[in-house]
Amino acid sequence: WPLEAAEKQCLAADHMTDQMGAMLELRDRDVAERENCYLSFASRWQGDALVMDKFFSLVGSSQLPGALEHVKAAMSHPAFTLKNPNKARALLGSFGRNMQHFHAADGSGYAFLADQVLALDAINPQVASRIVSLFNRRQKLEAQRQALMTRELQRILSKDGLSKDVYEIVSKNLSA
């Protein structure tokens, strides 16, 4: 799609499906049209919880450089809260399945998600355990990423008062 056509569809759409289609087309393009569409969409639909879940999933799955920063910024959107399991799964779950950015060579994706697991564990251990299960691919990674992921899992495991839900997933992962 040409950028102008995607932006036009996004901004002129009279329903969410057309708008999401255009945003998906722009998701991995670092252009002003993407930013315009994302801002417009988030403003228009911020009162609709299910639609915003789709938005947060789109943000978390972006392949653009700086995707982690976009995820962090999305966490400050008024429609996002870690206390809402659907919001946490939409944004953090899609980021954890984002092969390029969750598995960043510097370990920043692992550290970020480990921080979120720890924050979630105090709020909702079941959601935290679901998010921490995204680390379960550890054994399939090369040695450097395995070590970075192991470090974050050990950090999670060392937290005082860790829930049984998260403890079980992390300890099984580390013993595998």
Side-chain angles (χ1 to χ4, degrees):
W1 278 20
L3 295 174
E4 301 79 28
E7 182 181 34
K8 182 179 178 184
Q9 177 173 321
C10 180
L11 298 177
D14 60 357
H15 56 85
M16 184 270 305
T17 303
D18 280 352
Q19 213 171 8
M20 278 298 287
M23 288 176 50
L24 183 59
E25 181 61 32
L26 294 168
R27 179 189 68 184
D28 299 328
R29 297 183 187 195
D30 192 11
V31 293
E33 291 86 351
R34 175 190 181 275
E35 187 67 22
N36 292 341
C37 287
Y38 273 51
L39 290 172
S40 171
F41 187 92
S43 173
R44 178 177 179 182
W45 297 103
Q46 67 183 342
D48 189 316
L50 294 175
V51 174
M52 288 306 292
D53 290 347
K54 292 178 180 289
F55 172 77
F56 291 126
S57 291
L58 203 60
V59 171
S61 64
S62 174
Q63 300 302 300
L64 284 176
L68 177 55
E69 297 311 312
H70 290 133
V71 168
K72 289 177 181 178
M75 291 180 73
S76 66
H77 188 281
F80 183 84
T81 175
L82 277 179
K83 293 178 182 177
N84 182 312
N86 291 336
K87 299 293 177 268
R89 283 191 297 264
L91 185 61
L92 303 177
S94 64
F95 179 76
R97 290 183 298 279
N98 185 330
M99 299 304 281
Q100 179 177 348
H101 294 291
F102 176 53
H103 297 290
D106 65 357
S108 58
Y110 305 145
F112 168 74
L113 213 56
D115 289 342
Q116 302 316 307
V117 166
L118 291 170
L120 273 166
D121 194 46
I123 300 166
N124 189 329
Q126 292 79 24
V127 174
S129 67
R130 186 166 179 186
I131 298 299
V132 81
S133 70
L134 294 165
F135 285 84
N136 287 348
R137 296 179 285 236
R138 183 176 60 93
Q139 294 298 330
K140 296 181 181 181
L141 302 173
E142 80 281 356
Q144 178 187 350
R145 284 186 172 88
Q146 277 187 29
L148 292 168
M149 196 179 269
T150 298
R151 181 182 68 200
E152 296 305 326
L153 288 167
Q154 289 170 337
R155 182 167 67 93
I156 292 169
L157 198 60
S158 71
K159 182 182 183 278
D160 289 336
L162 192 65
S163 71
K164 289 186 277 185
D165 303 84
V166 172
Y167 176 84
E168 180 181 354
I169 302 241
V170 173
S171 61
K172 282 183 181 179
N173 185 321
L174 289 171
S175 67

